[in-house]
Every structure is written in structure tokens, then in C-alpha cells.
Amino acid sequence: MTKPLVITIHGLLRTRYSMSYLGSKLRQRGFEVLNYGYPSRRYPLQAQAERLDEFISARVEKTRPLNF
């Protein structure tokens, strides 16, 4: 059985490391965690969405349920 998948995404002006604690706690509770980091002020929203889509597409099967 596959573990439920959670993708963590930090907020503006933060880094992927700000989600480390949450990711650790989720793993302890049986989730698989992917921690997505992005340069929050470098690209416009549309470009950020495209980069997130590429991140997910490269790592997750299309039929697998996602949690954020």
C-alpha cells in the first residue's frame, strides 16, 4: 500500500527549510512528503505555477492523489 502523499509549500519570503518541522511530523504519522521550495519573489505567479507543475509531474504519478 502506498503512503498518502503531502507536498509542502512555504509562503512568501520563506525557504523550503521553513517546512522541515511540518514535514518531519507528517513523516512520523505515515505520510510521504515532498518539500517544494521556490524563489517566491523572483518569478510572477503564472511562472511559479508552471514550475510547481513541473516539480510534481517529474515526481508523482498522474493518478496518485495529492495533499498540500
Side-chain angles (χ1 to χ4, degrees):
M1 187 165 143
T2 304
K3 293 179 180 182
L5 176 63
V6 175
I7 298 175
T8 58
I9 305 173
H10 62 82
L12 294 173
L13 302 176
R14 302 301 305 239
T15 68
R16 61 189 305 251
Y17 302 107
S18 64
M19 301 304 289
S20 296
Y21 180 78
L22 176 60
S24 173
K25 291 299 180 183
L26 288 166
R27 284 184 193 92
Q28 289 174 8
R29 286 166 177 77
F31 290 90
E32 179 181 346
V33 178
L34 293 176
N35 187 359
Y36 178 69
Y38 65 100
S40 63
R41 295 182 49 180
R42 188 174 302 161
Y43 301 104
L45 185 58
Q46 180 64 36
Q48 297 287 13
E50 291 168 2
R51 291 167 58 93
L52 176 59
D53 182 56
E54 291 170 7
F55 175 86
I56 294 169
S57 296
R59 291 163 180 82
V60 181
E61 301 165 15
K62 291 196 180 285
T63 58
R64 187 167 183 193
L66 300 177
N67 300 284
F68 294 87

